[in-house]
Amino acid sequence: MAEFQYKIINNCPKPTKLVIFLHGYTSNADDVIPYAQTLAQHLDNAMIVVPEADMPSERRPDKKQWYALMDIDPERLRRKPDTSTEDIIEIYNRAGPRISAVAKRINRFITDLQKEYHICNRQTYILGFSQGAMIAIYAGLTRRYELGGIFPFAGIVCGVDLLEKEQNAHPEVYLFHGTSDLSVQYKTLEFTKEWLQNHNIDWVAMEYDGIEHKLIEDEMLDAAEIIRRSV
């Protein structure tokens, strides 16, 4: 039985690449499917899978979340411009056990799909937006073997105290962030870059001028080009 309900985009008969795309907080699979479809238009040989979290959102019961945040940050300090990067990191650090638990489930989900479609880790890519980006980073870095790449859109490295104990892999990480993002604040991107570098993880950052907390088509085109070029 699958760990999560999911939808498949670009279900080619014999895919050679597997792309997992995780939605954000107070969201669902349908919210990212238009962007997954853009990816699919440029990745003919990839099967793109969009799983959906099974936890109802604490903010909107008709939506989903990967893990709860309201009890950790009831005043939503993480979104206030005057909250320091250090304090934002500590808020997300407190969510470490929750993120770790979801990341383990995501990794089992990925492994099941790999076995079914005979796709190896180096041809598997994990993408995520916002809260999904945080899960993508954690799952990719704690997986036993390196994936082809991690693609966080508007994300941040989270749960660092626990992540340092659980990290196994060193895949390439491609960071996508809008410079006007105040939800997962753009200023935290420097911390993520530094943390990755200090843990021997190669990263590339793509920053989009004036973009707030949302996905855009240019990000999908850039991500598709990276995946398409990969061996």
Side-chain angles (χ1 to χ4, degrees), residues 68-88:
L69 270 172
M70 286 182 63
D71 60 330
I72 291 174
D73 183 25
E75 298 179 5
R76 305 180 81 190
L77 294 176
R78 67 191 185 278
R79 296 191 174 198
K80 295 184 178 180
D82 58 349
T83 301
S84 69
T85 295
E86 291 76 14
D87 287 342
I88 294 170

Side-chain angles (χ1 to χ4, degrees), residues 56-122:
S57 168
E58 56 201 343
R59 300 187 62 83
R60 283 185 54 184
D62 60 319
K63 295 287 189 175
K64 302 291 185 179
Q65 63 188 24
W66 296 106
Y67 59 91
L69 270 172
M70 286 182 63
D71 60 330
I72 291 174
D73 183 25
E75 298 179 5
R76 305 180 81 190
L77 294 176
R78 67 191 185 278
R79 296 191 174 198
K80 295 184 178 180
D82 58 349
T83 301
S84 69
T85 295
E86 291 76 14
D87 287 342
I88 294 170
I89 298 307
E90 179 52 32
I91 288 168
Y92 283 114
N93 193 39
R94 295 198 293 269
R98 301 174 184 184
I99 298 170
S100 175
V102 176
K104 287 180 175 65
R105 295 183 63 199
I106 289 292
N107 274 324
R108 289 195 298 267
F109 176 77
I110 291 172
T111 298
D112 288 345
L113 287 170
Q114 288 175 328
K115 290 177 179 177
E116 182 175 355
Y117 292 97
H118 307 288
I119 298 175
C120 67
N121 279 288
R122 292 303 297 180

Side-chain angles (χ1 to χ4, degrees), residues 1 3 21 26 88 156 178:
M1 185 176 182
E3 288 280 341
F21 200 153
T26 313
I88 294 170
I156 183 174

Side-chain angles (χ1 to χ4, degrees), residues 165-218:
K165 299 174 184 176
E166 297 187 339
Q167 182 189 356
N168 288 315
H170 299 78
E172 292 85 0
V173 179
Y174 301 91
L175 303 164
F176 298 76
H177 219 126
T179 63
S180 296
D181 191 343
L182 291 178
S183 294
V184 178
Q185 296 195 47
Y186 169 68
K187 67 184 180 183
T188 64
L189 180 60
E190 291 305 313
F191 169 82
T192 295
K193 292 176 183 177
E194 183 178 347
W195 191 95
L196 293 172
Q197 184 168 324
N198 290 341
H199 291 79
N200 301 313
I201 298 163
D202 292 334
W203 57 266
V204 175
M206 281 153 280
E207 302 168 41
Y208 298 83
D209 190 42
I211 299 302
E212 298 178 352
H213 191 65
K214 62 180 181 179
L215 291 165
I216 61 172
E217 183 177 6
D218 283 352

